[in-house]
């Protein structure tokens, strides 16, 4: 098996009022080796004349993906109807891809570098969030919050001489209002 995945989670209630903290660690690794050989045979018209030549080629593709993340969440009830949540998450994604294309010619396969590529990709993201939750009564619920993410990307084509290095920060506000008319009807 070429795949590995693991998760570790710890949750603790800090007091009798429901204050809690949780932490998650995740790791996944996927390896995908692949070999494909394809053949195209000649087609003939009604006069038994060839409409093209035999085309024989193969390609080899492999990919290695590694994903790691850690998440920390904290929750604090302020009263029976108000709570506050905050947390952070960091993840790291790394990918190595290699694609080779070979044409068959003169009893051997010759790599076609114009159709081949080796590419490495790296992405990391740090997100921070906070939410305020309020139950007004058994019918109305409000959540206000925000999340901020910093993302760094780095991609490099080793055969195509292409480099990507974008970095960006994004802000995501949240406003959620819910009305519960009855157990079968809720409006958001």
């Amino acid at each position: 098996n070429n795949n590995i995945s693991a998760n570790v989670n710890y949750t603790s209630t800090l007091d009798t009022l429901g204050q809690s903290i949780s932490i998650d660690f995740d790791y996944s690794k996927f390896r995908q080796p692949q070999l494909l050989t394809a053949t195209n045979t000649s087609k003939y018209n009604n006069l038994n004349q060839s409409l093209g030549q035999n085309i024989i080629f193969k390609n080899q593709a492999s990919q290695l993906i590694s994903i790691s993340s850690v998440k920390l969440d904290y929750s604090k009830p302020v009263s029976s109807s108000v709570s506050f949540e905050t947390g952070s998450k960091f993840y790291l994604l790394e990918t190595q891809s290699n694609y080779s294309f070979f044409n068959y010619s003169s009893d051997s396969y010759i790599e076609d570098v114009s159709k081949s590529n080796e590419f490495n990709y790296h992405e990391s993201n740090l997100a921070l969030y906070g939410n305020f939750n309020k139950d007004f009564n058994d019918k109305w619920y409000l959540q206000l919050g925000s999340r901020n993410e910093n993302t760094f990307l780095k991609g490099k084509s080793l055969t195509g001489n292409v480099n990507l290095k974008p970095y960006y920060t994004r802000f995501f506000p949240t406003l959620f209002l819910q009305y519960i008319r009855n157990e079968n009807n809720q409006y958001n």
Side-chain angles (χ1 to χ4, degrees), residues 39-57:
T39 304
N40 184 8
T41 58
S42 294
K43 304 267 184 191
Y44 295 91
N45 64 16
N46 292 341
L47 301 174
N48 204 24
Q49 296 170 328
S50 175
L51 297 176
Q53 62 183 2
N54 286 339
I55 300 173
I56 302 172
F57 63 90

Side-chain angles (χ1 to χ4, degrees), residues 95-113:
T95 303
Q96 297 172 344
S97 300
N98 189 356
Y99 178 81
S100 300
F101 188 92
F102 300 88
N103 289 311
Y104 188 76
S105 177
S106 302
D107 295 329
S108 65
Y109 286 99
I110 300 168
E111 183 174 7
D112 184 344
V113 294

Side-chain angles (χ1 to χ4, degrees), residues 12-32:
S12 178
T13 301
L14 303 175
D15 59 21
T16 58
L17 300 174
Q19 185 176 211
S20 66
I21 191 167
S22 69
I23 188 166
D24 285 277
F25 296 98
D26 293 293
Y27 177 75
S28 300
K29 186 174 186 177
F30 307 96
R31 183 179 303 272
Q32 186 176 358

Side-chain angles (χ1 to χ4, degrees), residues 135-141 178-182 186:
D135 289 325
F136 291 101
N137 51 43
D138 62 344
K139 300 281 185 189
W140 288 96
Y141 170 78
Q178 182 178 44
Y179 172 70
I180 303 170
R181 183 174 175 193
N182 56 44
Q186 298 177 5

Side-chain angles (χ1 to χ4, degrees), residues 28 35 54 84 88 91 150 155 174:
S28 300
L35 173 63
N54 286 339
F84 174 74
S88 63
Y91 78 82
N150 292 311
T174 302

Side-chain angles (χ1 to χ4, degrees), residues 13-185:
T13 301
L14 303 175
D15 59 21
T16 58
L17 300 174
Q19 185 176 211
S20 66
I21 191 167
S22 69
I23 188 166
D24 285 277
F25 296 98
D26 293 293
Y27 177 75
S28 300
K29 186 174 186 177
F30 307 96
R31 183 179 303 272
Q32 186 176 358
Q34 185 176 356
L35 173 63
L36 174 66
T37 302
T39 304
N40 184 8
T41 58
S42 294
K43 304 267 184 191
Y44 295 91
N45 64 16
N46 292 341
L47 301 174
N48 204 24
Q49 296 170 328
S50 175
L51 297 176
Q53 62 183 2
N54 286 339
I55 300 173
I56 302 172
F57 63 90
K58 72 177 180 179
N59 56 43
Q60 295 174 330
S62 64
Q63 191 170 46
L64 176 63
I65 301 171
S66 174
I67 305 169
S68 305
S69 71
V70 60
K71 182 175 78 162
L72 177 67
D73 293 308
Y74 171 77
S75 178
K76 178 173 178 60
V78 178
S79 69
S80 63
S81 64
V82 176
S83 66
F84 174 74
E85 301 166 340
T86 188
S88 63
K89 181 177 182 178
F90 175 78
Y91 78 82
L92 175 63
L93 167 69
E94 295 180 308
T95 303
Q96 297 172 344
S97 300
N98 189 356
Y99 178 81
S100 300
F101 188 92
F102 300 88
N103 289 311
Y104 188 76
S105 177
S106 302
D107 295 329
S108 65
Y109 286 99
I110 300 168
E111 183 174 7
D112 184 344
V113 294
S114 70
K115 295 177 183 172
S116 300
N117 190 18
E118 186 174 350
F119 188 81
N120 293 332
Y121 178 78
H122 172 96
E123 177 179 319
S124 59
N125 177 281
L126 175 63
L128 304 171
Y129 82 92
N131 289 329
F132 168 81
N133 305 297
K134 169 74 174 154
D135 289 325
F136 291 101
N137 51 43
D138 62 344
K139 300 281 185 189
W140 288 96
Y141 170 78
L142 172 71
Q143 182 182 68
L144 295 172
S146 66
R147 187 175 84 236
N148 190 63
E149 292 187 2
N150 292 311
T151 302
F152 173 75
L153 308 170
K154 181 180 178 183
K156 181 171 183 163
S157 172
L158 302 177
T159 52
N161 200 24
V162 175
N163 289 309
L164 306 170
K165 290 185 181 180
Y167 172 84
Y168 58 87
T169 299
R170 297 233 168 99
F171 175 73
F172 303 93
T174 302
L175 171 61
F176 177 77
L177 182 63
Q178 182 178 44
Y179 172 70
I180 303 170
R181 183 174 175 193
N182 56 44
E183 67 180 50
N184 296 321
N185 296 291

